[in-house]
Amino acid sequence: MLKVFLVEDEAVIRNSIVKSIDWEKEGFELTGSAGDGELAWPQIRETHPDIVVTDIRMPFMDGLELSKLVKKEFPHTKILILSGFNEFDYAKQAIEIGVSDYLLKPISADKLLESLHKAGDQIIDEQKSHDMIMNYTRRIEEEHEKNAEEETPVDVEEVNPKALNKTTFFDFLISGKKDEIPEFLDKYLDELGRNNLKSVLFRQYVISDLYLTCNAYLDDIGASKDEKNALIGSIEESGKIAAADRQKMKERLNEFLSKIMGYRDENRKTQLSSQILKASLYIRDHYAEDDISLNQTASAVGMSPTHFSSVFKQETGEGFSEYLTEVRMEAAKRLLATTDEKMTEISEQAGYHDPHYFSSTFKKTQGMTPKEYRAMVKGN
């Protein structure tokens, strides 16, 4: 449950916000509230909220001052600014500080909840990325124990979690242009940490993850196995190239993007519509959630459930449930191959809260049990 702290100097508005939202039902815990930043700051330091909702104009310490303090000490905390002043300077300062949303008062409970859930989704995505990095660092430690060869350590704090979120890369595959590739890659790789990319294993981890993203995108736009092989080659080949150095890795990614965009632009008529591509990305971002549904996905891309179901089947050749199962199986196989986590944990991370149903579905779709698949890939 995500923790929220509320700062609002007008008691009537503060109490109204507190009472108008069923915090626990919505997946939040209201850890406290205060009438100004000076009173709020020590409580925030004590409770470590995930999200701070604060008014901008308050006595003693205003919302911008408080936001600066929060961002300095807790950089991953999301801040939602409430303001009765629709002025560019306030919004500009808030953006510079790193505020997640700037909301004008009076604000309804529904609008505030929408912003809270949006911030919550970002936190969950960033936590997933952070966990991926931590899993990687554990693998590095294991490699150190097995291999005397010196390996550059990875500083998790240097990595911008957004860089490991597939959405950024996937979106660029959908709508990016060839002449934008060098600038995009420079920025993308810098956000992974320049020193981190000195690590051979980290480069291989990154390029393998992006290779899988490219492979998924090519599947979505109808590329055949032979076409995919011609465009991006094998994952092993990419890993060997990335092992050489950062520049070789960048050249390989440049090659991926250039070839894929060329193929994309030549085959516009056979491509999925932008809405169905967004739906595919939405599914890949939310497959682990047990409540993901056709209705929820349709809403996320701005379509009615009936129309979405019809268009999705027509463009992809399979139903929503089939596609979701494929994505979950891809995730499960990746976890089985790269981690030593228990089956119950892998089941949960793949979106199945019943391990028996997960095993049954895995065997039905993959022709072997999860344990047999892990033994096979570990053996190779």
Side-chain angles (χ1 to χ4, degrees), residues 10-279:
E10 295 183 52
V12 173
I13 296 177
R14 185 169 70 248
N15 293 334
S16 174
I17 291 174
V18 170
K19 293 176 181 177
S20 66
I21 293 176
D22 188 338
W23 298 93
E24 189 173 343
K25 180 183 175 184
E26 296 293 340
F28 300 105
E29 176 191 352
L30 186 64
T31 59
S33 62
D36 71 74
E38 198 168 82
L39 291 171
W41 178 230
Q43 295 181 62
I44 288 170
R45 295 187 73 185
E46 183 179 345
T47 59
H48 295 186
D50 300 291
I51 304 171
V52 172
V53 181
T54 178
D55 191 8
I56 202 165
R57 281 274 185 102
M58 297 181 294
F60 306 113
M61 183 191 291
D62 67 23
L64 291 178
E65 285 184 79
L66 177 63
S67 297
K68 288 177 184 175
L69 289 173
V70 171
K71 277 297 180 184
K72 184 176 181 180
E73 190 154 338
F74 307 110
H76 299 301
T77 295
K78 304 299 178 187
I79 300 172
L80 311 181
I81 289 281
L82 302 177
S83 175
F85 302 86
N86 187 9
E87 297 179 8
F88 176 73
D89 284 344
Y90 283 113
K92 184 181 176 183
Q93 289 180 65
I95 291 167
E96 288 172 351
I97 292 167
V99 166
S100 297
D101 213 344
Y102 188 88
L103 307 167
L104 293 176
K105 295 194 292 186
I107 185 169
S108 67
D110 287 344
K111 181 63 179 174
L112 179 56
L113 265 175
E114 182 184 333
S115 187
L116 284 166
H117 282 301
K118 181 180 176 182
D121 288 344
Q122 291 174 343
I123 291 168
I124 291 167
D125 286 343
E126 289 172 9
Q127 185 59 52
K128 285 179 183 175
S129 296
H130 183 270
D131 290 345
M132 287 165 63
I133 300 170
M134 294 308 293
N135 284 335
Y136 160 77
T137 55
R138 282 195 289 271
R139 285 168 57 193
I140 291 289
E141 289 169 3
E142 290 170 5
E143 288 295 325
H144 272 306
E145 292 175 6
K146 297 176 187 175
N147 194 338
E149 185 179 342
E150 193 170 325
E151 169 65 26
T152 305
V154 171
D155 183 354
V156 175
E157 294 302 318
E158 273 195 22
V159 181
N160 181 345
K162 289 181 181 178
L164 287 183
N165 185 331
K166 293 185 180 69
T167 305
T168 304
F169 203 84
F170 203 93
D171 279 350
F172 190 71
L173 285 168
I174 293 172
S175 56
K177 298 176 182 177
K178 282 189 176 182
D179 59 4
E180 298 171 339
I181 293 174
E183 183 181 353
F184 171 79
L185 285 178
D186 281 337
K187 184 177 179 183
Y188 190 90
L189 295 177
D190 282 348
E191 288 182 341
L192 293 171
R194 284 187 168 273
N195 288 328
N196 291 339
L197 287 173
K198 292 177 181 177
S199 161
V200 173
L201 288 175
F202 188 61
R203 290 199 303 272
Q204 290 180 317
Y205 167 81
V206 170
I207 203 165
S208 297
D209 203 43
L210 295 182
Y211 175 95
L212 292 172
T213 302
C214 292
N215 190 68
Y217 175 72
L218 288 169
D219 279 338
D220 287 343
I221 61 175
S224 67
K225 185 176 179 181
D226 288 342
E227 286 173 326
K228 287 194 294 182
N229 187 57
L231 292 167
I232 58 176
S234 70
I235 194 168
E236 293 82 8
E237 181 186 4
S238 294
K240 289 176 183 176
I241 290 171
D245 58 41
R246 183 184 190 274
Q247 183 59 31
K248 294 290 184 186
M249 172 184 168
K250 181 183 172 184
E251 289 170 4
R252 181 64 166 178
L253 290 174
N254 193 320
E255 184 183 345
F256 279 175
L257 291 170
S258 297
K259 285 185 175 180
I260 291 171
M261 286 178 183
Y263 179 85
R264 177 199 70 187
D265 295 340
E266 288 172 8
N267 294 271
R268 283 285 181 191
K269 291 181 181 178
T270 61
Q271 281 187 50
L272 299 180
S273 65
S274 62
Q275 283 176 305
I276 299 303
L277 278 173
K278 286 177 183 176

